[in-house]
Amino acid sequence: TSAQIGVTGLAVMGRNLARNFARNGYTVAVHNRTPSRTRELLAEFGDEGEFIGAESAAEFVAALERPRRLVIMVKAGDPTDAVIEEFAPLLEDGDVIIDGGNAHFADTRRRERDLRERGIHFVGTGISGGEEGALHGPSIMPGGSAESYESLGPMLAKISAKAADGAPCVTHVGPDGSGHFVKMVHNGIEYADMQLIAEAYQLLRDVGGRSPAEIAEVFRTWNTGRLDSYLIEITAEVLSHVDPATGEPFVDVVADQAEQKGTGRWTVQLALELGVPVSGIAEAVFARSLSGHTALREASRGLAGPTARPLSGAAADAFADQVEQALYASKIVSYTQGFHEIAAGSAEYGWNIDLGAIAGIWRGGCIIRAAFLDRIRAAYDARPDLPSLLSDETFAAEIADAQQDWREVLGAATGQGVPTPGFAAALAYYDSLRADRLPAALTQGQRDYFGAHTYRRTDREGTFHTRWAGDRSEVQM
Ligand code: NDP
């Protein structure tokens, strides 16, 4: 017998993905640089389905039916190139290499181009959901050629998560690196979601006067409403956990320095290059970075500021409702920014990405899965050329309803010295977009003054410059 799919790289992700394929009835060839991992998989999980263990690259390739489909799940970066170089010479025209690692989309574009010239399809694929997702159903974001998706799509649909309506959480995102690009932005949005939730927690604690266990209950309640999502759910779990060693709330014994692996940073770097204002995602990346500057924070502890005055009783309950409004409104803004970046990447690289379909495949399996994504999907499906999520009537109406509370929460936060960079960036973005006039006019005036950078006028076509150093008359350029 031959295998319909192969997986090389059998650490947590690859092993679970291989098991997922096997549990769904596929014969799976498995391979790992260090063969002991392959043997372990077969020994521990071999009875879950049909596996073919391969100890060498040649054996692995020989085990695959044609066109061969082999999934690479190794450490992203140079190891991916090394593995491609090991297997590509053994492959034939029309075979498909799927890279499920967290590659940078620019690397995926390069690899796809190289392999296409050698007659091999290269499918850079975003996979979200961590190790549990890989085993039980991840959200899958494949790029690459439409042709490769014809044979691959049905297999990916089978192993993917299913949304509440039963739709598989996979779609052909678009050509070359589009899948990894979309996965990158997914992670950027994930950073923003986590930051906003963290700020809501801090506000409920410092201004709302609640304990971590009480805040867990607030999040549990929120999770039954429009904020229903995986991240809110696990937030409640983390906040209600008590450290067994000390009996203290777990969140109080964890060092307050957030780490990152880089996909959030990539999202912001790309946004800067594409000129897309993803201020909420950027603040989330910076907030993690700031938290890690321990010496700087230590040196700043004595700086002046107000002391928070915790509320109680009905006032605390009312405040919690306001924080829910602020969190929801800020969340709409982060998704607005993230989808803007996907649209901009799609335009820049000619990917023709269907934004509604992306929202659709994030409804299940991935870290940002949420009831809310169904609404984003509906908004784009109804109007694929929607200029921004904020221009969708339903979202606009919800923000209209939330905005007063959003402002009051930020008033309390700044008044009492609780840092809320995510909430604040989101509101500034919202107010900037809806502003009749922006002070950018003054910025242009300054640029023209010191650098003769010229300006356009509101009342006439053309490019103008004022002779600032001379008689201040205006010249048309
Ligand atoms: P790791 O990222 O820890 O990578 C370990 C695997 O890579 C092992 O199989 C290892 O083989 C192999 N490897 C490393 N270097 C080489 C090399 N030069 N040649 C051949 N094989 C090599 O594994 P994970 O399972 O955590 O992740 C796999 C991929 O999935 C990564 O790209 C990761 O970013 C991505 N990912 C991970 C998620 C997660 O939650 N962990 C979620 C989504 C994506 P050996 O056993 O021989 O050392």
PDB file of all heavy atoms in Angstrom, residues 382-413:
ATOM      1  N   ALA A 382     -21.981  40.013   2.442  1.00  0.00           N
ATOM      2  CA  ALA A 382     -23.028  40.912   1.963  1.00  0.00           C
ATOM      3  C   ALA A 382     -22.436  41.994   1.069  1.00  0.00           C
ATOM      4  O   ALA A 382     -23.052  42.439   0.115  1.00  0.00           O
ATOM      5  CB  ALA A 382     -23.753  41.546   3.151  1.00  0.00           C
ATOM      6  N   ARG A 383     -21.215  42.408   1.414  1.00  0.00           N
ATOM      7  CA  ARG A 383     -20.599  43.503   0.655  1.00  0.00           C
ATOM      8  C   ARG A 383     -19.092  43.267   0.562  1.00  0.00           C
ATOM      9  O   ARG A 383     -18.318  43.763   1.366  1.00  0.00           O
ATOM     10  CB  ARG A 383     -20.865  44.817   1.399  1.00  0.00           C
ATOM     11  CG  ARG A 383     -21.378  45.912   0.475  1.00  0.00           C
ATOM     12  CD  ARG A 383     -21.471  47.238   1.210  1.00  0.00           C
ATOM     13  NE  ARG A 383     -20.573  48.206   0.608  1.00  0.00           N
ATOM     14  CZ  ARG A 383     -20.293  49.380   1.140  1.00  0.00           C
ATOM     15  NH1 ARG A 383     -20.809  49.732   2.295  1.00  0.00           N
ATOM     16  NH2 ARG A 383     -19.493  50.214   0.520  1.00  0.00           N
ATOM     17  N   PRO A 384     -18.653  42.508  -0.459  1.00  0.00           N
ATOM     18  CA  PRO A 384     -17.224  42.156  -0.554  1.00  0.00           C
ATOM     19  C   PRO A 384     -16.316  43.379  -0.677  1.00  0.00           C
ATOM     20  O   PRO A 384     -15.139  43.303  -0.333  1.00  0.00           O
ATOM     21  CB  PRO A 384     -17.155  41.309  -1.828  1.00  0.00           C
ATOM     22  CG  PRO A 384     -18.534  40.798  -2.045  1.00  0.00           C
ATOM     23  CD  PRO A 384     -19.451  41.857  -1.517  1.00  0.00           C
ATOM     24  N   ASP A 385     -16.857  44.519  -1.144  1.00  0.00           N
ATOM     25  CA  ASP A 385     -16.021  45.713  -1.296  1.00  0.00           C
ATOM     26  C   ASP A 385     -16.151  46.656  -0.102  1.00  0.00           C
ATOM     27  O   ASP A 385     -15.829  47.846  -0.205  1.00  0.00           O
ATOM     28  CB  ASP A 385     -16.418  46.456  -2.579  1.00  0.00           C
ATOM     29  CG  ASP A 385     -17.842  47.002  -2.494  1.00  0.00           C
ATOM     30  OD1 ASP A 385     -18.636  46.467  -1.687  1.00  0.00           O
ATOM     31  OD2 ASP A 385     -18.163  47.963  -3.233  1.00  0.00           O
ATOM     32  N   LEU A 386     -16.627  46.124   1.022  1.00  0.00           N
ATOM     33  CA  LEU A 386     -16.752  46.928   2.240  1.00  0.00           C
ATOM     34  C   LEU A 386     -15.429  47.670   2.490  1.00  0.00           C
ATOM     35  O   LEU A 386     -14.388  47.030   2.614  1.00  0.00           O
ATOM     36  CB  LEU A 386     -17.043  45.967   3.401  1.00  0.00           C
ATOM     37  CG  LEU A 386     -17.685  46.477   4.676  1.00  0.00           C
ATOM     38  CD1 LEU A 386     -19.082  47.021   4.403  1.00  0.00           C
ATOM     39  CD2 LEU A 386     -17.765  45.342   5.688  1.00  0.00           C
ATOM     40  N   PRO A 387     -15.443  49.015   2.569  1.00  0.00           N
ATOM     41  CA  PRO A 387     -14.174  49.733   2.735  1.00  0.00           C
ATOM     42  C   PRO A 387     -13.500  49.381   4.068  1.00  0.00           C
ATOM     43  O   PRO A 387     -12.275  49.360   4.158  1.00  0.00           O
ATOM     44  CB  PRO A 387     -14.573  51.207   2.724  1.00  0.00           C
ATOM     45  CG  PRO A 387     -15.989  51.267   2.273  1.00  0.00           C
ATOM     46  CD  PRO A 387     -16.600  49.923   2.475  1.00  0.00           C
ATOM     47  N   SER A 388     -14.293  49.116   5.085  1.00  0.00           N
ATOM     48  CA  SER A 388     -13.734  48.751   6.388  1.00  0.00           C
ATOM     49  C   SER A 388     -14.866  48.138   7.204  1.00  0.00           C
ATOM     50  O   SER A 388     -16.034  48.408   6.939  1.00  0.00           O
ATOM     51  CB  SER A 388     -13.174  50.007   7.064  1.00  0.00           C
ATOM     52  OG  SER A 388     -13.729  50.207   8.330  1.00  0.00           O
ATOM     53  N   LEU A 389     -14.496  47.319   8.170  1.00  0.00           N
ATOM     54  CA  LEU A 389     -15.536  46.705   9.007  1.00  0.00           C
ATOM     55  C   LEU A 389     -16.387  47.763   9.691  1.00  0.00           C
ATOM     56  O   LEU A 389     -17.563  47.541   9.972  1.00  0.00           O
ATOM     57  CB  LEU A 389     -14.898  45.818  10.074  1.00  0.00           C
ATOM     58  CG  LEU A 389     -14.537  44.395   9.682  1.00  0.00           C
ATOM     59  CD1 LEU A 389     -13.980  43.677  10.894  1.00  0.00           C
ATOM     60  CD2 LEU A 389     -15.768  43.670   9.146  1.00  0.00           C
ATOM     61  N   LEU A 390     -15.764  48.907   9.981  1.00  0.00           N
ATOM     62  CA  LEU A 390     -16.506  49.978  10.656  1.00  0.00           C
ATOM     63  C   LEU A 390     -17.595  50.545   9.758  1.00  0.00           C
ATOM     64  O   LEU A 390     -18.518  51.195  10.242  1.00  0.00           O
ATOM     65  CB  LEU A 390     -15.558  51.103  11.081  1.00  0.00           C
ATOM     66  CG  LEU A 390     -14.553  50.754  12.175  1.00  0.00           C
ATOM     67  CD1 LEU A 390     -13.601  51.909  12.399  1.00  0.00           C
ATOM     68  CD2 LEU A 390     -15.281  50.427  13.475  1.00  0.00           C
ATOM     69  N   SER A 391     -17.493  50.311   8.444  1.00  0.00           N
ATOM     70  CA  SER A 391     -18.554  50.823   7.574  1.00  0.00           C
ATOM     71  C   SER A 391     -19.705  49.831   7.444  1.00  0.00           C
ATOM     72  O   SER A 391     -20.690  50.111   6.765  1.00  0.00           O
ATOM     73  CB  SER A 391     -18.006  51.255   6.206  1.00  0.00           C
ATOM     74  OG  SER A 391     -16.940  50.465   5.807  1.00  0.00           O
ATOM     75  N   ASP A 392     -19.576  48.671   8.078  1.00  0.00           N
ATOM     76  CA  ASP A 392     -20.721  47.754   8.135  1.00  0.00           C
ATOM     77  C   ASP A 392     -21.734  48.329   9.133  1.00  0.00           C
ATOM     78  O   ASP A 392     -21.388  48.708  10.254  1.00  0.00           O
ATOM     79  CB  ASP A 392     -20.256  46.370   8.605  1.00  0.00           C
ATOM     80  CG  ASP A 392     -21.434  45.441   8.830  1.00  0.00           C
ATOM     81  OD1 ASP A 392     -22.049  45.026   7.832  1.00  0.00           O
ATOM     82  OD2 ASP A 392     -21.742  45.146  10.000  1.00  0.00           O
ATOM     83  N   GLU A 393     -22.990  48.402   8.704  1.00  0.00           N
ATOM     84  CA  GLU A 393     -24.013  49.061   9.521  1.00  0.00           C
ATOM     85  C   GLU A 393     -24.167  48.455  10.922  1.00  0.00           C
ATOM     86  O   GLU A 393     -24.318  49.169  11.900  1.00  0.00           O
ATOM     87  CB  GLU A 393     -25.372  48.972   8.831  1.00  0.00           C
ATOM     88  CG  GLU A 393     -25.578  50.050   7.796  1.00  0.00           C
ATOM     89  CD  GLU A 393     -26.843  49.817   6.998  1.00  0.00           C
ATOM     90  OE1 GLU A 393     -27.808  49.237   7.542  1.00  0.00           O
ATOM     91  OE2 GLU A 393     -26.855  50.201   5.808  1.00  0.00           O
ATOM     92  N   THR A 394     -24.125  47.131  10.979  1.00  0.00           N
ATOM     93  CA  THR A 394     -24.328  46.483  12.277  1.00  0.00           C
ATOM     94  C   THR A 394     -23.201  46.824  13.249  1.00  0.00           C
ATOM     95  O   THR A 394     -23.440  47.172  14.406  1.00  0.00           O
ATOM     96  CB  THR A 394     -24.395  44.961  12.105  1.00  0.00           C
ATOM     97  OG1 THR A 394     -25.082  44.682  10.904  1.00  0.00           O
ATOM     98  CG2 THR A 394     -25.067  44.304  13.272  1.00  0.00           C
ATOM     99  N   PHE A 395     -21.950  46.732  12.756  1.00  0.00           N
ATOM    100  CA  PHE A 395     -20.824  47.055  13.641  1.00  0.00           C
ATOM    101  C   PHE A 395     -20.847  48.539  14.010  1.00  0.00           C
ATOM    102  O   PHE A 395     -20.591  48.908  15.163  1.00  0.00           O
ATOM    103  CB  PHE A 395     -19.495  46.673  12.989  1.00  0.00           C
ATOM    104  CG  PHE A 395     -19.252  45.186  12.970  1.00  0.00           C
ATOM    105  CD1 PHE A 395     -18.960  44.524  11.786  1.00  0.00           C
ATOM    106  CD2 PHE A 395     -19.313  44.445  14.149  1.00  0.00           C
ATOM    107  CE1 PHE A 395     -18.742  43.153  11.767  1.00  0.00           C
ATOM    108  CE2 PHE A 395     -19.101  43.073  14.137  1.00  0.00           C
ATOM    109  CZ  PHE A 395     -18.814  42.417  12.943  1.00  0.00           C
ATOM    110  N   ALA A 396     -21.155  49.385  13.034  1.00  0.00           N
ATOM    111  CA  ALA A 396     -21.207  50.827  13.309  1.00  0.00           C
ATOM    112  C   ALA A 396     -22.246  51.121  14.391  1.00  0.00           C
ATOM    113  O   ALA A 396     -22.007  51.929  15.297  1.00  0.00           O
ATOM    114  CB  ALA A 396     -21.519  51.593  12.032  1.00  0.00           C
ATOM    115  N   ALA A 397     -23.387  50.430  14.306  1.00  0.00           N
ATOM    116  CA  ALA A 397     -24.449  50.662  15.291  1.00  0.00           C
ATOM    117  C   ALA A 397     -24.004  50.188  16.674  1.00  0.00           C
ATOM    118  O   ALA A 397     -24.275  50.843  17.689  1.00  0.00           O
ATOM    119  CB  ALA A 397     -25.720  49.932  14.858  1.00  0.00           C
ATOM    120  N   GLU A 398     -23.295  49.063  16.712  1.00  0.00           N
ATOM    121  CA  GLU A 398     -22.834  48.567  18.017  1.00  0.00           C
ATOM    122  C   GLU A 398     -21.818  49.521  18.642  1.00  0.00           C
ATOM    123  O   GLU A 398     -21.826  49.754  19.848  1.00  0.00           O
ATOM    124  CB  GLU A 398     -22.216  47.175  17.852  1.00  0.00           C
ATOM    125  CG  GLU A 398     -23.271  46.097  17.693  1.00  0.00           C
ATOM    126  CD  GLU A 398     -22.647  44.740  17.507  1.00  0.00           C
ATOM    127  OE1 GLU A 398     -21.712  44.604  16.697  1.00  0.00           O
ATOM    128  OE2 GLU A 398     -23.087  43.809  18.194  1.00  0.00           O
ATOM    129  N   ILE A 399     -20.934  50.047  17.815  1.00  0.00           N
ATOM    130  CA  ILE A 399     -19.952  50.988  18.362  1.00  0.00           C
ATOM    131  C   ILE A 399     -20.661  52.269  18.802  1.00  0.00           C
ATOM    132  O   ILE A 399     -20.319  52.845  19.838  1.00  0.00           O
ATOM    133  CB  ILE A 399     -18.830  51.302  17.349  1.00  0.00           C
ATOM    134  CG1 ILE A 399     -17.999  50.036  17.118  1.00  0.00           C
ATOM    135  CG2 ILE A 399     -17.932  52.411  17.881  1.00  0.00           C
ATOM    136  CD1 ILE A 399     -16.573  50.279  16.719  1.00  0.00           C
ATOM    137  N   ALA A 400     -21.649  52.694  18.020  1.00  0.00           N
ATOM    138  CA  ALA A 400     -22.396  53.905  18.406  1.00  0.00           C
ATOM    139  C   ALA A 400     -22.967  53.717  19.805  1.00  0.00           C
ATOM    140  O   ALA A 400     -22.920  54.615  20.651  1.00  0.00           O
ATOM    141  CB  ALA A 400     -23.513  54.173  17.398  1.00  0.00           C
ATOM    142  N   ASP A 401     -23.445  52.511  20.066  1.00  0.00           N
ATOM    143  CA  ASP A 401     -24.041  52.213  21.357  1.00  0.00           C
ATOM    144  C   ASP A 401     -22.978  52.127  22.459  1.00  0.00           C
ATOM    145  O   ASP A 401     -23.242  52.432  23.616  1.00  0.00           O
ATOM    146  CB  ASP A 401     -24.809  50.888  21.208  1.00  0.00           C
ATOM    147  CG  ASP A 401     -25.533  50.513  22.471  1.00  0.00           C
ATOM    148  OD1 ASP A 401     -26.251  51.380  22.994  1.00  0.00           O
ATOM    149  OD2 ASP A 401     -25.348  49.370  22.942  1.00  0.00           O
ATOM    150  N   ALA A 402     -21.774  51.700  22.077  1.00  0.00           N
ATOM    151  CA  ALA A 402     -20.721  51.462  23.082  1.00  0.00           C
ATOM    152  C   ALA A 402     -19.865  52.688  23.352  1.00  0.00           C
ATOM    153  O   ALA A 402     -19.179  52.764  24.375  1.00  0.00           O
ATOM    154  CB  ALA A 402     -19.809  50.319  22.605  1.00  0.00           C
ATOM    155  N   GLN A 403     -19.863  53.637  22.433  1.00  0.00           N
ATOM    156  CA  GLN A 403     -18.799  54.639  22.479  1.00  0.00           C
ATOM    157  C   GLN A 403     -18.774  55.498  23.733  1.00  0.00           C
ATOM    158  O   GLN A 403     -17.694  55.829  24.231  1.00  0.00           O
ATOM    159  CB  GLN A 403     -18.788  55.485  21.215  1.00  0.00           C
ATOM    160  CG  GLN A 403     -20.061  56.197  20.912  1.00  0.00           C
ATOM    161  CD  GLN A 403     -19.829  57.677  20.743  1.00  0.00           C
ATOM    162  OE1 GLN A 403     -18.724  58.167  20.877  1.00  0.00           O
ATOM    163  NE2 GLN A 403     -20.910  58.384  20.480  1.00  0.00           N
ATOM    164  N   GLN A 404     -19.940  55.825  24.290  1.00  0.00           N
ATOM    165  CA  GLN A 404     -19.916  56.659  25.497  1.00  0.00           C
ATOM    166  C   GLN A 404     -19.236  55.910  26.654  1.00  0.00           C
ATOM    167  O   GLN A 404     -18.399  56.461  27.357  1.00  0.00           O
ATOM    168  CB  GLN A 404     -21.342  57.099  25.867  1.00  0.00           C
ATOM    169  CG  GLN A 404     -21.391  58.221  26.887  1.00  0.00           C
ATOM    170  CD  GLN A 404     -20.500  59.414  26.519  1.00  0.00           C
ATOM    171  OE1 GLN A 404     -20.419  59.816  25.352  1.00  0.00           O
ATOM    172  NE2 GLN A 404     -19.789  59.963  27.507  1.00  0.00           N
ATOM    173  N   ASP A 405     -19.588  54.646  26.800  1.00  0.00           N
ATOM    174  CA  ASP A 405     -18.960  53.844  27.862  1.00  0.00           C
ATOM    175  C   ASP A 405     -17.460  53.681  27.607  1.00  0.00           C
ATOM    176  O   ASP A 405     -16.640  53.720  28.531  1.00  0.00           O
ATOM    177  CB  ASP A 405     -19.619  52.461  27.938  1.00  0.00           C
ATOM    178  CG  ASP A 405     -21.019  52.538  28.542  1.00  0.00           C
ATOM    179  OD1 ASP A 405     -21.256  53.419  29.383  1.00  0.00           O
ATOM    180  OD2 ASP A 405     -21.866  51.702  28.164  1.00  0.00           O
ATOM    181  N   TRP A 406     -17.125  53.467  26.342  1.00  0.00           N
ATOM    182  CA  TRP A 406     -15.717  53.310  25.938  1.00  0.00           C
ATOM    183  C   TRP A 406     -14.915  54.528  26.394  1.00  0.00           C
ATOM    184  O   TRP A 406     -13.836  54.424  26.976  1.00  0.00           O
ATOM    185  CB  TRP A 406     -15.717  53.192  24.417  1.00  0.00           C
ATOM    186  CG  TRP A 406     -14.503  52.701  23.712  1.00  0.00           C
ATOM    187  CD1 TRP A 406     -13.360  52.157  24.234  1.00  0.00           C
ATOM    188  CD2 TRP A 406     -14.319  52.705  22.279  1.00  0.00           C
ATOM    189  NE1 TRP A 406     -12.492  51.834  23.221  1.00  0.00           N
ATOM    190  CE2 TRP A 406     -13.053  52.160  22.022  1.00  0.00           C
ATOM    191  CE3 TRP A 406     -15.107  53.121  21.203  1.00  0.00           C
ATOM    192  CZ2 TRP A 406     -12.555  52.011  20.716  1.00  0.00           C
ATOM    193  CZ3 TRP A 406     -14.620  52.966  19.913  1.00  0.00           C
ATOM    194  CH2 TRP A 406     -13.358  52.423  19.673  1.00  0.00           C
ATOM    195  N   ARG A 407     -15.483  55.709  26.126  1.00  0.00           N
ATOM    196  CA  ARG A 407     -14.803  56.955  26.514  1.00  0.00           C
ATOM    197  C   ARG A 407     -14.707  57.069  28.034  1.00  0.00           C
ATOM    198  O   ARG A 407     -13.684  57.480  28.574  1.00  0.00           O
ATOM    199  CB  ARG A 407     -15.554  58.169  25.949  1.00  0.00           C
ATOM    200  CG  ARG A 407     -15.504  58.232  24.438  1.00  0.00           C
ATOM    201  CD  ARG A 407     -16.313  59.398  23.847  1.00  0.00           C
ATOM    202  NE  ARG A 407     -16.542  59.155  22.423  1.00  0.00           N
ATOM    203  CZ  ARG A 407     -15.614  59.295  21.482  1.00  0.00           C
ATOM    204  NH1 ARG A 407     -14.408  59.709  21.804  1.00  0.00           N
ATOM    205  NH2 ARG A 407     -15.879  59.031  20.221  1.00  0.00           N
ATOM    206  N   GLU A 408     -15.781  56.684  28.731  1.00  0.00           N
ATOM    207  CA  GLU A 408     -15.759  56.805  30.198  1.00  0.00           C
ATOM    208  C   GLU A 408     -14.757  55.835  30.822  1.00  0.00           C
ATOM    209  O   GLU A 408     -14.094  56.159  31.806  1.00  0.00           O
ATOM    210  CB  GLU A 408     -17.166  56.617  30.763  1.00  0.00           C
ATOM    211  CG  GLU A 408     -17.999  57.871  30.534  1.00  0.00           C
ATOM    212  CD  GLU A 408     -19.474  57.719  30.908  1.00  0.00           C
ATOM    213  OE1 GLU A 408     -19.791  56.855  31.762  1.00  0.00           O
ATOM    214  OE2 GLU A 408     -20.300  58.468  30.337  1.00  0.00           O
ATOM    215  N   VAL A 409     -14.654  54.658  30.237  1.00  0.00           N
ATOM    216  CA  VAL A 409     -13.668  53.690  30.747  1.00  0.00           C
ATOM    217  C   VAL A 409     -12.265  54.266  30.573  1.00  0.00           C
ATOM    218  O   VAL A 409     -11.425  54.199  31.481  1.00  0.00           O
ATOM    219  CB  VAL A 409     -13.806  52.335  30.016  1.00  0.00           C
ATOM    220  CG1 VAL A 409     -12.590  51.452  30.251  1.00  0.00           C
ATOM    221  CG2 VAL A 409     -15.074  51.620  30.485  1.00  0.00           C
ATOM    222  N   LEU A 410     -11.998  54.853  29.400  1.00  0.00           N
ATOM    223  CA  LEU A 410     -10.678  55.447  29.183  1.00  0.00           C
ATOM    224  C   LEU A 410     -10.459  56.648  30.087  1.00  0.00           C
ATOM    225  O   LEU A 410      -9.338  56.899  30.541  1.00  0.00           O
ATOM    226  CB  LEU A 410     -10.495  55.817  27.708  1.00  0.00           C
ATOM    227  CG  LEU A 410     -10.019  54.618  26.889  1.00  0.00           C
ATOM    228  CD1 LEU A 410     -10.288  54.805  25.408  1.00  0.00           C
ATOM    229  CD2 LEU A 410      -8.528  54.371  27.110  1.00  0.00           C
ATOM    230  N   GLY A 411     -11.541  57.382  30.388  1.00  0.00           N
ATOM    231  CA  GLY A 411     -11.443  58.494  31.328  1.00  0.00           C
ATOM    232  C   GLY A 411     -11.011  57.991  32.701  1.00  0.00           C
ATOM    233  O   GLY A 411     -10.092  58.541  33.320  1.00  0.00           O
ATOM    234  N   ALA A 412     -11.647  56.910  33.145  1.00  0.00           N
ATOM    235  CA  ALA A 412     -11.291  56.332  34.441  1.00  0.00           C
ATOM    236  C   ALA A 412      -9.852  55.814  34.411  1.00  0.00           C
ATOM    237  O   ALA A 412      -9.082  56.006  35.355  1.00  0.00           O
ATOM    238  CB  ALA A 412     -12.256  55.201  34.796  1.00  0.00           C
ATOM    239  N   ALA A 413      -9.479  55.166  33.309  1.00  0.00           N
ATOM    240  CA  ALA A 413      -8.141  54.583  33.205  1.00  0.00           C
ATOM    241  C   ALA A 413      -7.073  55.673  33.281  1.00  0.00           C
ATOM    242  O   ALA A 413      -6.124  55.559  34.061  1.00  0.00           O
ATOM    243  CB  ALA A 413      -8.009  53.795  31.900  1.00  0.00           C
TER     244      ALA A 413
END
